[in-house]
């Protein structure tokens, strides 16, 4: 691709007397004396009418480019023998101009008017240079963000499987011990918005690297906490440090990955979350059974340090990011604009409700499984989190959305989660495990659909839009963990299930409202026609 100034300097040639394609009215004229013999007439495969149409297309493209002064001019349409050369020349001109224009507010290619180059392949041109499956850098990006997701969820919920051991060692109730989880998720929810502003200034990759490194360092300090207060405080610092990952990851993917591959890329990052949640809980469960919960937290800290190094080595540098400071007023305007969008508000609420169920169930399930009638040891309780593997499959929700649509996918996720909650009420271990599988599948599917919908809906300030979603999401986790533990302490496992079912009724009601509103809009448009 030539530089912009070269393209601009060639623009006046289009349609002029020196244009590479002769006009239809001049093809029959005698050629200049200096012209080569083979240039005296168009070949039989390129009649004068075709040449004239191609020249008019070039002049029209140049006129459109001149009306947009901020974009470089198109390259001249250069002829080559044969019809394919004409078509190649047309596509190489305006398409080049389209791929270089950037939207400074969103840090991504700006939308283009249809028909700028004949319409064919326009979506691919708008995503030109971005990562795509099978392309260079995509595999490295996938594994790097997978490592970031593993570290984030392994650290964020590292104490969840250890709550019974922490309660017994420190002499605290389940509700008090649950604050070791809620403090981390709550601090993350509060810190994700300001850190998203920092990502606009210093870059997504840089902020994620710093966040993972600081969180790993704090994780290596948590085993030395002398009491519950210090443990909760260190967990809050750890959660605030981790906020840089969700604040930047979605925006990084939206900027660097082609639009058609975005849902799949986000699903892979969510799959990393599920693997991290599973591996962290299994690791802590077995290590705690052998050496205690403090050694288990140290093991997770070492895992997080390795993931931070892998992330830094693998993730490619951003090529479509533009650094820009975000002041408090601009940040407030952006956040206000997102919160004023009814569709984004619904997506934020759905994410929070799904996470309320997930946080409540997995905060309390350990207490239930070590009691009657199951009496499972700590290591086996940690292995229960193998059901997170289901999340790695259900988070690949792109194919599901393509088949049944986003709202239908959300209905399916709500129904699956609710059915899983009901199954866990039985006293049979196999039925409880099946219920956990369904809860996990429904949660990760709903989360993947909602989070990718936020990235598609927000046209400006995508980092802040994703950050708001993450804030709602982790506030739901914090509320679910605390309320679930309180409900369990007051009414047993049945109280936790009632809390989860109420959250799923709320998610279904929001989705139903959106469905009815969409149908009403369609009927209004049909009546207007």
């Amino acid at each position: 691709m030539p530089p912009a100034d070269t393209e601009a300097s060639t623009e006046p040639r289009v349609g002029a007397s020196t244009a590479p394609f002769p006009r239809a009215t001049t093809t029959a004229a005698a050629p200049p004396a200096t012209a080569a013999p083979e240039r005296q007439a168009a070949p039989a495969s390129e009649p004068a009418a075709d040449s004239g149409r191609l020249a008019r297309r070039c002049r029209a493209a140049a006129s459109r480019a001149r009306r947009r002064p901020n974009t470089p001019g198109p390259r001249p349409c250069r002829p080559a023998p044969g019809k394919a050369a004409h078509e190649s020349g047309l596509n190489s001109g305006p398409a080049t101009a389209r791929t270089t224009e950037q939207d400074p507010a969103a840090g991504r290619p700006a939308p283009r008017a249809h028909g700028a180059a004949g319409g064919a392949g326009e979506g691919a041109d708008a995503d030109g240079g971005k990562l795509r499956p099978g392309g260079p850098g995509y595999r490295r990006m996938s594994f790097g963000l997978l490592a970031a997701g593993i570290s984030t969820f392994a650290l964020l919920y590292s104490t969840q499987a250890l709550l019974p051991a922490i309660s017994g060692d420190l002499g605290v109730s389940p509700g008090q011990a649950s604050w070791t989880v809620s403090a981390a998720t709550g601090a993350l929810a509060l810190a994700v918005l300001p850190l998203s502003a920092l990502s606009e200034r210093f870059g997504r990759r840089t902020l994620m690297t710093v966040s993972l490194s600081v969180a790993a360092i704090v994780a290596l300090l948590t085993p030395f906490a002398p009491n519950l207060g210090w443990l909760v405080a260190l967990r809050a610092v750890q959660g605030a440090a981790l906020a840089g990952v969700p604040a930047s990851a979605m925006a990084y993917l939206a900027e660097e990955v082609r639009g058609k591959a975005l849902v799949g890329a986000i699903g892979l990052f969510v799959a990393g979350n599920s693997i991290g949640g599973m591996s962290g809980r299994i690791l802590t469960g077995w290590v705690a059974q052998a050496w205690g919960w403090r050694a288990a937290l140290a093991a997770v800290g070492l895992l997080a340090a390795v993931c931070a190094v892998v992330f830094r080595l693998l993730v490619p540098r951003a090529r479509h990011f533009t650094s820009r400071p975000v002041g408090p007023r601009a940040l407030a305007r952006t956040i206000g604009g997102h919160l004023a969008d009814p569709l984004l508000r619904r997506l934020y609420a759905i994410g929070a409700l799904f996470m309320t169920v997930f946080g409540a169930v997995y905060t309390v399930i350990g207490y239930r499984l070590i009691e009657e009638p199951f009496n499972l040891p700590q290591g086996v309780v940690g292995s229960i989190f193998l059901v997170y593997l289901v999340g790695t499959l259900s988070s690949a929700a792109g194919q599901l959305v393509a088949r049944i649509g986003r709202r239908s996918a959300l209905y399916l996720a709500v129904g699956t989660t609710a059915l899983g909650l009901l199954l866990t009420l039985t006293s049979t271990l196999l039925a409880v495990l099946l219920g956990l599988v369904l809860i996990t599948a429904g949660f990760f599917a709903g989360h993947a659909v909602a989070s990718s919908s936020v990235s598609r809906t927000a046209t400006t300030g995508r980092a802040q839009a994703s950050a708001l979603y993450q804030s709602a999401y982790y506030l739901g986790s914090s509320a679910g963990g605390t309320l679930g533990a309180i409900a369990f302490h007051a009414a047993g496992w049945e109280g936790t299930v009632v809390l989860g079912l109420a959250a799923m009724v709320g998610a279904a009601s929001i989705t139903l409202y959106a469905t009815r509103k969409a149908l009403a809009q369609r009927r209004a448009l049909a009546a207007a026609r």
Side-chain angles (χ1 to χ4, degrees):
M1 180 185 299
D5 57 347
T6 302
E7 294 178 344
S9 64
T10 59
E11 182 183 337
R13 297 180 57 193
V14 181
S17 59
T18 58
F21 289 105
R23 299 182 184 224
T25 57
T26 61
T27 51
T34 58
E38 65 272 18
R39 303 279 296 184
Q40 293 181 4
S45 61
E46 300 176 4
D50 289 346
S51 181
R53 283 196 295 270
L54 293 171
R56 287 194 294 274
R57 287 187 189 178
C58 289
R59 291 195 295 274
S63 176
R64 283 191 292 269
R66 284 193 294 271
R67 290 196 296 269
R68 296 182 298 184
N70 292 330
T71 58
R75 276 190 272 180
C77 301
R78 298 189 178 278
K83 183 176 180 180
H86 281 285
E87 297 172 349
S88 175
L90 281 173
N91 291 335
S92 66
T96 304
R98 287 197 310 275
T99 57
T100 57
E101 183 179 355
Q102 296 289 324
D103 181 356
R108 61 187 178 86
R112 304 295 186 268
H114 292 286
E122 186 165 344
D125 289 335
D127 283 344
K130 291 192 174 185
L131 299 174
R132 57 180 176 80
Y138 186 87
R139 187 182 297 272
R140 291 177 54 216
M141 179 274 298
S142 300
F143 283 109
L145 285 178
L146 186 69
I150 290 173
S151 177
T152 301
F153 254 48
L155 289 176
L156 195 61
Y157 296 99
S158 57
T159 62
Q160 198 170 58
L162 303 174
L163 293 180
I166 293 173
S167 293
D169 185 43
L170 300 180
V172 296
S173 67
Q176 291 173 314
S178 69
W179 277 105
T180 61
V181 179
S182 299
T185 55
L188 188 151
L190 295 176
V192 69
L193 270 171
L195 288 185
S196 72
L198 290 180
S199 78
E200 300 285 356
R201 175 66 179 87
F202 298 105
R204 326 295 189 195
R205 181 172 176 260
T206 299
L207 185 63
M208 285 190 281
T209 301
V210 173
S211 294
L212 291 172
S213 302
V214 173
I217 292 172
V218 176
L220 295 174
L221 296 176
T222 53
F224 303 99
N227 51 48
L228 182 64
W230 274 101
L231 181 59
V232 170
L234 287 172
R235 291 283 294 153
V237 173
Q238 191 176 69
L242 285 171
V245 178
S248 305
M250 298 300 181
Y252 177 89
L253 290 171
E255 291 168 353
E256 303 299 326
V257 178
R258 291 195 175 189
K260 291 184 178 179
L262 182 59
V263 174
I266 291 177
L268 186 61
F269 176 66
V270 174
N273 294 345
S274 67
I275 293 174
M278 175 197 70
S279 59
R281 289 165 171 89
I282 294 176
L283 177 65
T284 55
W286 286 106
V287 173
Q289 182 172 319
W291 296 290
W293 63 271
R294 295 181 185 274
L297 292 182
V300 174
L302 292 174
L303 173 64
V306 172
C307 288
V309 174
V310 170
F311 170 82
R312 183 64 182 183
L313 293 177
L314 290 184
V315 169
R317 292 183 180 273
R319 294 188 296 171
H320 299 272
F321 169 76
T322 302
S323 175
R324 52 196 175 276
V326 180
R329 292 184 179 179
L331 181 61
R333 284 195 301 269
T334 302
I335 293 174
H338 291 326
L339 292 178
D341 188 326
L343 175 56
L344 287 176
R345 288 201 305 267
R346 291 195 292 268
L347 292 172
Y348 297 154
I350 288 172
L353 290 169
F354 268 106
M355 196 56 171
T356 298
V357 177
F358 200 67
V361 167
Y362 281 101
T363 296
V364 176
I365 191 65
Y367 289 101
R368 187 181 186 216
L369 293 178
I370 65 173
E371 295 177 350
E372 294 288 346
F374 305 110
N375 297 318
L376 297 181
Q378 182 69 53
V380 176
V381 169
S383 298
I384 293 298
F385 293 94
L386 278 170
V387 297
Y388 262 53
L389 287 173
V390 178
T392 65
L393 302 177
S394 62
S395 59
Q399 296 180 355
L400 181 66
V401 171
R403 290 192 176 190
I404 65 176
R406 293 180 182 272
R407 282 190 293 270
S408 297
L410 286 175
Y411 284 128
L412 182 60
V414 168
T416 302
T417 305
L419 179 60
L421 287 168
L422 294 175
L423 279 176
T424 60
L425 290 171
T426 65
S427 57
T428 305
L429 181 60
L430 184 60
V432 171
L433 293 179
L434 179 59
L436 291 176
V437 167
L438 294 178
I439 292 169
T440 304
F443 162 73
F444 277 108
H447 169 44
V449 173
S451 60
S452 62
S453 298
V454 169
S455 297
R456 290 172 60 91
T457 302
T459 56
T460 59
R462 277 182 168 172
Q464 285 72 44
S466 296
L468 282 170
Y469 176 82
Q470 297 294 333
S471 292
Y473 176 80
Y474 286 109
L475 282 174
S477 174
S478 183
T482 301
L483 294 176
I486 292 174
F488 179 79
H489 186 70
W493 180 253
E494 291 78 7
T496 305
V497 170
V498 169
L499 174 67
L501 289 175
M504 286 297 92
V505 169
S509 300
I510 293 172
T511 309
L512 179 61
Y513 171 79
T515 302
R516 289 183 174 180
K517 188 172 182 179
L519 291 175
Q521 290 175 346
R522 290 179 186 175
R523 286 194 293 266
L525 288 175
R529 292 176 183 175

